[in-house]
Amino acid sequence: MSFKIISLIAATVLVAACATEPEDSGAASGQGSSSSASSSGSASNSVGSKQAMQNTQPNAPTPGSIEDLVVNVGDRVFFSFNKSDIQPDAADTLNRQAAWLKKFPNHMIVVEGHCDERGTREYNLALGERRANSVREYLISVGVAANRIATISYGKERPAVLGANDASWSQNRRGVTIVKNAGS
Amino acid sequence: MRKFSDKKSVATILRRVLKSAMALAVGAGLSLAIPAQAEVRIDITRGTVKALPIAVTHFHGLVGPEIDVGRNIAGVVSADLERSGLFRPLDKRAFIQTAASLRVRPRFSDWRVINAQALVQGNVKLQQDGRLRVEFRLWDVFSEAQMTGLAYFTEPSNWRRVAHIISDAIYKRVTGESGYFDTRIVFVAESGPLKRRIKRLAIMDQDGANHRYLTDGSNLVLTPRFSPTLQEITYLSYFNDEPRVYLFDIESGRQELLGGFRGMTFAPRFAADGKSVLMSFAKRGNSDVWRMDLSTRTATQLTRHSAIDTSPSPSPDGKQIAFNSDRGGSPQLYVMDHNGSNVRRISFARGRYSTPVWSPRGDLIAFTKQTGGKFHIGVMRPDGSGERILTESFLDEAPSWAPNGRIIMFFRQTPTDTKGKGGTTRLYSIDLTGHNLREVITPGDASDPAWSPLIP
C-alpha cells in the first residue's frame, strides 16, 4: 500500500529536519514550521516523537501545551485520496489525543479538515468537512465529550506541504487537531 | 436621421437614467440602410471561424477632448472585437481614407483595397451640458451598405462603457447573437504564501479595466457569484473562522450573512430569477443542497443523502438544478427538479466530474473534469449527451459563462514544486468551440471568476 511508503518518506524528512534545525521543532508554537515535525504524527509516530523528544530535551514542551500535542501526541491524521474514513494508524493517533484530552479536561479543540489540491474547491470543502467530522466522531467514540470538539473545513485552501506530487498530496489530506484554549 | 419616438425606448432611456448613476442613455437610432443581399456575417455555429477583417477608425472629433475620447473608444472597440477571436481589426496605418472625409461618406474602394470587409466609423461631440454625444456606424464594405448605427449621450468619464456597448452592437449585428462586452468579472485576487493565501474579492470590467478590490483580505473569501440582477454578489467568507455564505452589495459595499445555519454553508449560486440562493449546508459533516429564499429568509432542504451534494447551478428557466454528488462513489454530475425531486445522473464517462454550471442559453452544462492526472473544462447537454472537452492542464477549474453562452471563463493553476515555486493562478477564457484560449489579464494571481450578466 502506497500510504506506508509515503509515511516512511515523511519520517525521513522529519529526521532530516530535526538534524538540521533542532530548535525549530521545539520552539514552534503554531502550525507553520512545526508541520514537518507533526506530519509524522500518524503512521510513524513512535519514530517521530522519540526523535523529536530527544532533540528537544533541554526545553521539553509544557504538558498540555500545543507543542505537547504536536510533539508528544501527534496533532494530525491522514486520509486516502477522496476518503474520510479513519485508518488504523490514524486511530492510534486519535486514541492518544483522546487520552491527552482526558488529562486536560478544560481543553476545547477544533478539528480542521483539509484536502489535497486534486479536487475542485467546493467538493473539497465538503470533503474536508467530512474528514473533520470523521475525526470528531472517532474522538467522541473513545470518550471525548462532544461539546469540546468543533470542526472547520479548509478544503484545499491551506496546504501543509507544497509540491505537485503524491508525497505532498498525501500530507495535505489531513485532519488537524487544534487546541483553542491551551494554557502554558 | 430618424427620430427616436418609440415609447418603449423612451421608457428604457428613462429607466436607465434613473437606475444608473452613470446616466448613460441611448439617444437616437441612426438611419438603417436597406438590408444588402450578401451581407457581412460571421456564422459562429461552425467549429472554426475565420476572423472577419474589420477597419475600426478613430472616432472623429474636432477639439482635443473629443479627439482623445474618439481615439480611446476606437481602441477599446478594436480590442474587444479582437479578443473575441471572430474579428481581425486591421492595422490603422494601412487606412487610406481619413476620419474627417469619412464623415461625408465612406469611399468603399479605399477600404476594399486593404481587404476590410466591415468598417466602423464614429463621431464624438461635446454637448452644451457637458455630456458627450457618441455615434457610430457599421458599414458593409462590399455591399456598400450601412449595417447598423446608433448614438449615445453620456458623461465623458463613461466613455469606456459606451465603447463596450458599441462593441456589443457590432458583435450582435455581425454574428446574430448578443454580445458580452458590457459586462464585469468578479473574482478572487490571490497573493501571499501558497500555504496561507490571502484572498480578496475583486471586480473589473471584462477587459480588465476599472479593477478594484471589494474586500481587504483579512478574511478568506471564495467562490463569488453574480446575481442575475447584478447589484449583488453571493460568496463564501471565513469571517470569525466560520465559513458561511454571504451577500455583498456592490454599490454600497454592505455585507450580510445569509441565514442562521449552525454549520458551514458554501457553494452559493443565485437562482435564475435572483430571488433565492442555492447552496450547500454541511450538517454533522454531511453536505446537502439547500435553497434560501431571499425575501422570506426561509431555508429549504433539496437533497437528503449521506453523500456529498454540492455546487448547485440552476437552469435558466428555473425548473431544474444541476449539482455535484459522490453518491455513486466518485464525484459526478446530477440534475434534479427545482424542488429536489427526480434526481438523475448525467455524467457517465471515465473521470471525476464537478462544478456543473448551466449555460445562460440553457442548452449546455459546463463542468470541471479530472481524468488521467489532468483537469479539463468541458461541456455537455443537460441530458449528459454530447460531451466535449475544451481545455486540459495541471489544474483547470470553475467555469463561468459569458451572458451570451458562447464563451467560458475559468482559472488555471500551475503545479508547485516543493520549494513553493509555481502555483500561479490565472484567469482564462475559451470559446465554446474550443478555440481562442486567452489569458484574462489581472493585476496578480486570480481564481474563481464569475461573469456578470449584461449591465442593465
Side-chain angles (χ1 to χ4, degrees):
Chain A
M1 199 175 163
S2 64
F3 187 78
K4 291 228 170 87
I5 298 165
I6 291 156
S7 303
L8 282 174
I9 294 165
T12 315
V13 169
L14 167 85
V15 171
C18 288
T20 51
E21 297 172 88
E23 282 156 328
D24 244 30
S25 57
S29 57
Q31 297 122 295
S33 57
S34 66
S35 63
S36 66
S38 53
S39 65
S40 66
S42 73
S44 55
N45 186 75
S46 56
V47 178
S49 54
K50 268 180 204 158
Q51 193 75 37
M53 272 166 37
Q54 278 164 13
N55 278 307
T56 57
Q57 209 62 30
N59 38 12
T62 312
S65 67
I66 291 165
E67 304 90 86
D68 186 29
L69 174 68
V70 170
V71 174
N72 296 324
V73 179
D75 69 336
R76 63 194 61 196
V77 296
F78 300 100
F79 297 91
S80 299
F81 179 70
N82 202 32
K83 291 283 192 291
S84 57
D85 52 310
I86 303 296
Q87 301 180 27
D89 40 12
D92 292 345
T93 303
L94 296 180
N95 289 338
R96 285 194 305 277
Q97 287 187 7
W100 187 79
L101 288 166
K102 274 176 198 149
K103 280 204 300 189
F104 305 101
N106 294 325
H107 280 6
M108 307 292 279
I109 61 168
V110 178
V111 178
E112 297 178 349
H114 297 272
C115 304
D116 66 30
E117 63 187 353
R118 305 314 278 164
T120 50
R121 196 176 317 287
E122 291 177 344
Y123 181 81
N124 276 0
L125 287 171
L127 181 59
E129 184 74 13
R130 201 149 73 174
R131 285 175 176 163
N133 199 64
S134 281
V135 170
R136 182 175 187 270
E137 295 293 330
Y138 187 92
L139 289 173
I140 292 170
S141 76
V142 292
V144 182
N147 62 9
R148 295 176 67 191
I149 316 169
T151 59
I152 187 169
S153 172
Y154 284 101
K156 59 177 175 177
E157 301 306 311
R158 293 284 181 261
V161 179
L162 299 178
N165 54 69
D166 287 333
S168 297
W169 294 330
S170 68
Q171 299 288 299
N172 290 331
R173 297 189 294 265
R174 68 202 193 277
V176 181
T177 299
I178 306 283
V179 182
K180 288 301 272 185
N181 59 339
S184 49
Chain B
M1 199 185 293
R2 197 175 63 182
K3 273 282 180 192
F4 225 94
S5 58
D6 185 327
K7 273 183 185 164
K8 191 176 152 210
S9 300
V10 173
T12 306
I13 293 164
L14 289 174
R15 198 173 69 238
R16 282 180 181 169
V17 170
L18 290 171
K19 274 180 76 171
S20 167
M22 294 187 266
L24 171 77
V26 174
L30 301 185
S31 63
L32 292 171
I34 306 136
Q37 282 288 311
E39 68 175 20
V40 170
R41 189 167 177 81
I42 298 176
D43 180 3
I44 56 179
T45 57
R46 285 182 301 153
T48 54
V49 170
K50 200 162 179 294
L52 180 88
I54 188 168
V56 183
T57 60
H58 288 168
F59 284 24
H60 183 258
L62 290 174
V63 295
E66 295 173 352
I67 294 165
D68 290 346
V69 169
R71 189 192 307 114
N72 291 339
I73 287 178
V76 167
V77 169
S78 186
D80 278 347
L81 296 176
E82 194 279 330
R83 258 194 335 280
S84 76
L86 303 178
F87 296 85
R88 183 165 59 83
L90 298 170
D91 188 340
K92 289 182 172 59
R93 286 170 300 186
F95 295 177
I96 301 163
Q97 189 178 14
T98 62
S101 75
L102 255 175
R103 292 194 70 199
V104 184
R105 178 155 179 90
R107 275 198 312 275
F108 291 104
S109 57
D110 282 4
W111 299 100
R112 276 196 293 271
V113 83
I114 62 165
N115 292 319
Q117 290 189 32
L119 167 67
V120 178
Q121 69 157 128
N123 295 298
V124 178
K125 184 81 191 135
L126 262 171
Q127 306 295 294
Q128 296 283 345
D129 60 6
R131 291 190 304 161
L132 288 179
R133 182 180 186 280
V134 180
E135 68 166 57
F136 88 97
R137 292 169 198 263
L138 172 68
W139 297 92
D140 182 331
V141 170
F142 286 86
S143 65
E144 305 195 352
Q146 181 179 314
M147 297 178 73
T148 188
L150 288 164
Y152 309 89
F153 291 95
T154 184
E155 300 302 320
S157 61
N158 201 28
W159 64 267
R160 272 192 162 274
R161 250 202 94 187
V162 172
H164 292 312
I165 289 168
I166 290 170
S167 302
D168 281 331
I170 294 167
Y171 183 97
K172 183 171 189 176
R173 187 66 185 83
V174 174
T175 68
E177 301 198 1
S178 61
Y180 58 91
F181 300 113
D182 186 25
T183 55
R184 293 191 281 182
I185 310 293
V186 63
F187 62 97
V188 171
E190 302 193 11
S191 59
L194 294 169
K195 288 184 184 177
R196 288 198 76 83
R197 268 313 222 192
I198 295 163
K199 296 198 173 188
R200 310 161 73 179
L201 294 186
I203 193 168
M204 63 184 192
D205 298 349
Q206 56 75 30
D207 65 350
N210 295 317
H211 175 277
R212 68 183 168 106
Y213 296 105
L214 300 177
T215 62
D216 64 5
S218 54
N219 297 300
L220 177 62
V221 293
L222 303 169
T223 63
R225 274 86 194 239
F226 268 105
S227 159
T229 56
L230 193 81
Q231 299 308 317
E232 249 178 353
I233 293 166
T234 183
Y235 70 107
L236 172 63
S237 171
Y238 275 69
F239 179 70
N240 273 346
D241 289 332
E242 292 182 345
R244 298 289 187 275
V245 169
Y246 285 77
L247 295 177
F248 187 100
D249 187 298
I250 299 169
E251 300 303 315
S252 69
R254 198 169 61 91
Q255 299 179 52
E256 181 192 353
L257 176 66
L258 189 52
F261 294 94
R262 293 172 60 85
M264 176 171 70
T265 51
F266 62 108
R269 208 176 275 277
F270 282 95
D273 62 5
K275 292 176 180 167
S276 61
V277 170
L278 301 170
M279 63 173 104
S280 276
F281 168 41
K283 203 175 185 176
R284 285 188 289 280
N286 180 44
S287 300
D288 277 308
V289 173
W290 289 63
R291 179 197 301 278
M292 165 65 80
D293 186 291
L294 291 177
S295 54
T296 64
R297 296 297 161 119
T298 51
T300 312
Q301 186 169 358
L302 300 181
T303 67
R304 288 171 201 278
H305 200 285
S306 58
I308 288 173
D309 293 334
T310 190
S311 300
S313 172
S315 64
D317 64 9
K319 290 179 180 164
Q320 298 177 89
I321 298 167
F323 67 103
N324 188 205
S325 177
D326 65 356
R327 58 184 64 193
S330 70
Q332 298 292 337
L333 307 184
Y334 292 77
V335 169
M336 63 184 170
D337 292 351
H338 70 102
N339 59 3
S341 66
N342 194 20
V343 175
R344 62 269 189 202
R345 178 171 164 178
I346 63 165
S347 61
F348 289 98
R350 277 176 61 91
R352 297 153 54 83
Y353 291 80
S354 44
T355 74
V357 188
W358 219 300
S359 156
R361 290 146 55 111
D363 56 345
L364 292 169
I365 292 173
F367 54 80
T368 305
K369 178 176 183 174
Q370 288 172 256
T371 179
K374 299 280 190 185
F375 279 61
H376 310 268
I377 302 296
V379 293
M380 62 172 67
R381 295 195 197 95
D383 65 0
S385 66
E387 175 176 324
R388 283 192 297 122
I389 296 302
L390 305 179
T391 76
E392 173 181 304
S393 89
F394 170 73
L395 202 168
D396 286 350
E397 189 183 333
S400 175
W401 291 92
N404 69 354
R406 300 285 336 172
I407 298 161
I408 294 170
M409 197 176 291
F410 60 97
F411 79 88
R412 172 167 286 180
Q413 182 193 318
T414 61
T416 49
D417 66 20
T418 48
K419 295 190 183 82
K421 287 270 189 296
T424 58
T425 52
R426 295 294 164 134
L427 306 187
Y428 286 84
S429 67
I430 190 159
D431 199 271
L432 196 48
T433 58
H435 296 279
N436 199 31
L437 177 71
R438 302 263 176 150
E439 185 179 340
V440 179
I441 304 299
T442 48
D445 278 3
S447 58
D448 293 2
W451 214 316
S452 82
L454 281 171
I455 297 173

